[in-house]
Amino acid sequence: MTAEWWDTDRNGYDADTEYVRSSDLKDFYDCPTIYRARHLLKPGDHGYMGRKPQSRQMTVGTHIHSAALEGVRDWKTATPCGALKKNGTVCGNDVAAGGMLCDTEEGIFVCGVHARGRNTVAYPDALTPAESDSVEGMVTAIENSDVAQELLSDRFHERAARSVDPETGVKKKSLIDIIKPRPFILGDLKSTSEFNAESIWRKIDQNCWLLSLAHYESVVMDIQAAHGKPVHYPAWVFLIVESIPPYRVTDWPIDGTVQDDARREYRELLAEFSECQRAGVWNQRPINTAAPQWWAYKHNYAHEGSK
């Protein structure tokens, strides 16, 4: 297998660590030493960090994607801890730490850290009432947005794909939010509380959003080539929803010049990653203080976006 659409669920996708996803490359972009500590070292090794634990923001994002892209509203809502437990004690665990539920006289409560005992049940994907309201608000806004529905119509559902990069030999995988065949578009669903052009571009830069789309495209191009099909480059677009009321929605197309810069920087990053794999050397990266490439073009994207 050199490139294929991958018939797997999210658990199977996450479990396969032989292939790198865009978030893994983001760790490498931040610092090769961090990548090594998170993805290569084993428990007990000096410097071992382990993969990032799922944050509350990531949990919320997972439910937004499931509901908006797949139509699956399956989250549980749980009140934050602080109420009287069945044994008469007050649960003071912090929901921000994420992940546990306590069964109390007043119902099921989210608990921040593991509490041993029969009154505790693990359910890491539960949402607080505020988080649940926020997810429901964002998903409803996407469903009621003409711009979003145009982008989400006639598309493949969230699809997994993987390939071996023909130039570097790096094994890559992607779980692609939006693939539209006609016109050919690759897209990513994102949320932000700061719904203005400057803040959105800052998010694109700081969170390496363009890296994700370049990674999506690279895997899809590999699949096209492996099946002997002419290579067609897609347009890139972000579907962005405001994470606080009034939950505005906009599309955010990426200019071709910015795409070209992102593709080039992605190929350079992949080549560097491949060299580190080959040599087994993961040195700390100097801090980069240069302005990102997109800064030169950001004024082309001055629209606020409230569709």
Short mmCIF file of all heavy atoms in Angstrom, two decimals, residues 16 41 56 61 66 80 101 131 196 217 235 257 261 267 277 305:
data_model
loop_
_atom_site.label_atom_id
_atom_site.label_comp_id
_atom_site.label_asym_id
_atom_site.label_seq_id
_atom_site.Cartn_x
_atom_site.Cartn_y
_atom_site.Cartn_z
N ASP A 16 -3.31 3.96 15.31
CA ASP A 16 -2.21 3.68 14.39
C ASP A 16 -1.17 4.79 14.50
O ASP A 16 -1.35 5.89 13.98
CB ASP A 16 -2.74 3.60 12.95
CG ASP A 16 -1.67 3.13 11.97
OD1 ASP A 16 -0.48 3.30 12.27
OD2 ASP A 16 -2.04 2.60 10.91
N LEU A 41 9.49 8.42 22.55
CA LEU A 41 9.93 7.84 23.82
C LEU A 41 8.82 7.02 24.45
O LEU A 41 7.63 7.27 24.23
CB LEU A 41 10.39 8.94 24.78
CG LEU A 41 11.62 9.75 24.34
CD1 LEU A 41 11.98 10.78 25.42
CD2 LEU A 41 12.81 8.84 24.05
N ARG A 56 -10.38 20.20 27.50
CA ARG A 56 -11.81 20.49 27.38
C ARG A 56 -12.13 21.04 25.99
O ARG A 56 -13.14 20.70 25.38
CB ARG A 56 -12.24 21.50 28.45
CG ARG A 56 -12.06 21.06 29.88
CD ARG A 56 -12.74 19.73 30.19
NE ARG A 56 -14.13 19.69 29.84
CZ ARG A 56 -14.88 18.59 29.77
NH1 ARG A 56 -14.33 17.43 30.03
NH2 ARG A 56 -16.15 18.63 29.45
N GLY A 61 -14.55 20.36 20.64
CA GLY A 61 -14.33 20.32 19.20
C GLY A 61 -14.75 19.00 18.58
O GLY A 61 -15.31 18.97 17.48
N SER A 66 -18.60 15.98 15.16
CA SER A 66 -19.53 14.85 15.02
C SER A 66 -20.93 15.33 14.66
O SER A 66 -21.59 14.74 13.79
CB SER A 66 -19.57 14.05 16.33
OG SER A 66 -18.34 13.44 16.59
N PRO A 80 -21.02 20.44 36.62
CA PRO A 80 -19.72 20.44 37.30
C PRO A 80 -19.85 20.08 38.77
O PRO A 80 -20.88 20.30 39.40
CB PRO A 80 -19.25 21.90 37.14
CG PRO A 80 -19.99 22.41 35.96
CD PRO A 80 -21.32 21.72 35.98
N LEU A 101 -16.82 11.60 36.02
CA LEU A 101 -18.15 11.91 36.51
C LEU A 101 -18.33 11.33 37.90
O LEU A 101 -17.85 10.24 38.19
CB LEU A 101 -19.23 11.30 35.61
CG LEU A 101 -19.25 11.75 34.15
CD1 LEU A 101 -20.40 11.07 33.44
CD2 LEU A 101 -19.37 13.24 34.06
N GLU A 131 -20.91 24.06 28.17
CA GLU A 131 -20.29 23.52 26.96
C GLU A 131 -21.34 22.93 26.03
O GLU A 131 -21.28 23.12 24.81
CB GLU A 131 -19.26 22.45 27.34
CG GLU A 131 -18.01 22.98 28.01
CD GLU A 131 -17.13 21.89 28.59
OE1 GLU A 131 -17.64 20.75 28.78
OE2 GLU A 131 -15.95 22.17 28.86
N ASN A 196 -12.99 38.10 14.04
CA ASN A 196 -12.60 39.21 13.18
C ASN A 196 -11.37 38.78 12.39
O ASN A 196 -10.68 37.82 12.74
CB ASN A 196 -12.32 40.48 13.99
CG ASN A 196 -11.20 40.27 15.00
OD1 ASN A 196 -10.03 40.25 14.64
ND2 ASN A 196 -11.56 40.11 16.28
N GLU A 217 -4.04 17.80 1.61
CA GLU A 217 -3.83 17.81 0.16
C GLU A 217 -2.73 16.84 -0.25
O GLU A 217 -2.87 16.13 -1.25
CB GLU A 217 -3.47 19.22 -0.29
CG GLU A 217 -3.26 19.33 -1.79
CD GLU A 217 -2.77 20.71 -2.21
OE1 GLU A 217 -1.55 20.97 -2.15
OE2 GLU A 217 -3.63 21.54 -2.60
N ALA A 235 -9.01 23.73 -4.19
CA ALA A 235 -9.08 24.99 -3.44
C ALA A 235 -9.12 24.65 -1.95
O ALA A 235 -9.56 23.57 -1.57
CB ALA A 235 -10.33 25.77 -3.84
N THR A 257 -1.84 32.33 -3.68
CA THR A 257 -0.46 32.66 -3.32
C THR A 257 -0.12 32.13 -1.94
O THR A 257 0.98 31.60 -1.71
CB THR A 257 -0.25 34.18 -3.36
OG1 THR A 257 -0.65 34.69 -4.63
CG2 THR A 257 1.20 34.53 -3.11
N ASP A 261 2.68 29.19 -0.80
CA ASP A 261 3.64 29.35 0.30
C ASP A 261 3.50 28.22 1.31
O ASP A 261 4.49 27.66 1.80
CB ASP A 261 3.44 30.69 1.00
CG ASP A 261 4.01 31.86 0.20
OD1 ASP A 261 4.96 31.64 -0.57
OD2 ASP A 261 3.50 32.98 0.36
N ARG A 267 6.40 21.10 2.42
CA ARG A 267 7.38 20.19 1.85
C ARG A 267 8.73 20.33 2.55
O ARG A 267 9.42 19.33 2.80
CB ARG A 267 7.57 20.46 0.35
CG ARG A 267 6.35 20.21 -0.53
CD ARG A 267 5.73 18.85 -0.36
NE ARG A 267 6.69 17.75 -0.45
CZ ARG A 267 6.35 16.48 -0.30
NH1 ARG A 267 5.11 16.13 -0.04
NH2 ARG A 267 7.26 15.54 -0.39
N GLN A 277 14.10 11.53 11.07
CA GLN A 277 13.79 10.10 11.17
C GLN A 277 14.97 9.25 10.74
O GLN A 277 15.32 8.27 11.39
CB GLN A 277 12.57 9.77 10.29
CG GLN A 277 11.22 10.02 10.92
CD GLN A 277 10.10 9.43 10.09
OE1 GLN A 277 10.15 9.42 8.86
NE2 GLN A 277 9.07 8.93 10.75
N GLY A 305 -16.81 38.61 8.07
CA GLY A 305 -17.45 37.30 7.98
C GLY A 305 -18.55 37.11 9.00
O GLY A 305 -18.31 36.82 10.14
#
